[in-house]
Amino acid sequence: EDQVTQSPEALRLQEGESSSLNCSYTVSGLRGLFWYRQDPGKGPEFLFTLYSAGEEKEKERLKATLTKKESFLHITAPKPEDSATYLCAVQVRNDYKLSFGAGTTVTVRA
Amino acid sequence: EPEVTQTPSHQVTQMGQEVILRCVPISNHLYFYWYRQILGQKVEFLVSFYNNEISEKSEIFDDQFSVERPDGSNFTLKIRSTKLEDSAMYFCASASGGGAKTQYFGPGTRLLVL
């Protein structure tokens, strides 16, 4: 069975304190790995798609990387507005649905 | 920027009642999805819909659930006889294609079954 595990469950950061979130996956035939941001009571907001090991994508203070077994979301010099739950999801070949991890809730204090 | 919209934002219903959740996907998208998220749990896939038919459904999507695209813009999820355990946030998503095309999510409908 395909599995997506995110760690840590929660992360409390001081403003400006860089850190990384982990998403490890065990799937047969990865088609794509997706990162979303979710604010409380809202829908997931798309951040990045990664397709193959070695790929990196960046957007403002966020950078996502992918290996054959895991993905990292690096948050550089976070600000309070980066506080959210970050979700990782995978899509496997011959399938279109997304399988989500439980998320990492990031709180950034000013 | 185009976005997925969902109505209502909140719905409270009695156990055994029928509910219809509505979604307007992004206009040029062809693939449509419903997911749900029980409070404090993962986002879970329910069903995917393409070319006016269900392309995949999860074990959760039993005979009590149905989906429909009644016109060129709306996409609906019907729960025929709601149960307490159907209480969750329901998200609609749409994508321009299959494969690894990005799925864009709506803001969700919070369903509470009493």
Side-chain angles (χ1 to χ4, degrees), chain A residues 30-55:
Chain A
L30 181 73
R31 190 203 296 266
L33 186 141
F34 300 78
W35 282 98
Y36 287 86
R37 168 191 171 127
Q38 186 176 32
D39 292 307
K42 303 289 177 66
E45 176 189 342
F46 172 71
L47 293 173
F48 304 108
T49 309
L50 301 166
Y51 297 102
S52 57
E55 191 174 0

Side-chain angles (χ1 to χ4, degrees), chain A residues 41, chain B residues 6-13 21 88-89 107-112:
Chain B
Q6 290 185 242
T7 54
S9 57
H10 294 79
Q11 173 113 33
V12 181
T13 190
L21 311 183
M89 194 77 156
T109 292
R110 185 175 297 282
L111 177 65
L112 178 60

Side-chain angles (χ1 to χ4, degrees), chain A residues 94-98, chain B residues 32-35 44-50 53-67 75 77 80:
Chain A
N94 302 319
D95 200 356
Y96 294 159
K97 70 175 183 287
L98 296 178
Chain B
F32 313 111
Y33 305 84
W34 284 100
Y35 292 82
E44 303 174 284
F45 168 78
L46 293 177
V47 66
S48 59
F49 191 85
Y50 168 70
E53 59 183 30
I54 290 174
S55 46
E56 187 180 0
K57 59 184 180 180
S58 71
E59 291 177 355
I60 303 167
F61 195 88
D62 61 21
D63 291 345
Q64 294 301 311
F65 291 87
S66 62
V67 288
F75 180 50
L77 174 69
R80 257 178 279 279

Side-chain angles (χ1 to χ4, degrees), chain A residues 6 8 10 24 34 42 64 66 68 75-76 79 87 89 104 107:
Chain A
Q6 293 189 245
S24 64
F34 300 78
K42 303 289 177 66
L66 182 65
K68 288 187 177 179
I75 310 178
T76 301
K79 298 183 177 181
L87 304 175
T104 294
T107 304

Side-chain angles (χ1 to χ4, degrees), chain B residues 17-57:
Chain B
Q17 295 296 304
E18 174 183 288
V19 295
I20 297 176
L21 311 183
R22 292 183 167 82
C23 167
V24 178
I26 294 172
S27 64
N28 62 343
H29 284 187
L30 301 175
Y31 290 77
F32 313 111
Y33 305 84
W34 284 100
Y35 292 82
R36 80 173 185 188
Q37 187 175 31
I38 294 170
L39 190 63
Q41 297 188 21
K42 295 183 182 184
V43 176
E44 303 174 284
F45 168 78
L46 293 177
V47 66
S48 59
F49 191 85
Y50 168 70
N51 201 27
N52 280 320
E53 59 183 30
I54 290 174
S55 46
E56 187 180 0
K57 59 184 180 180

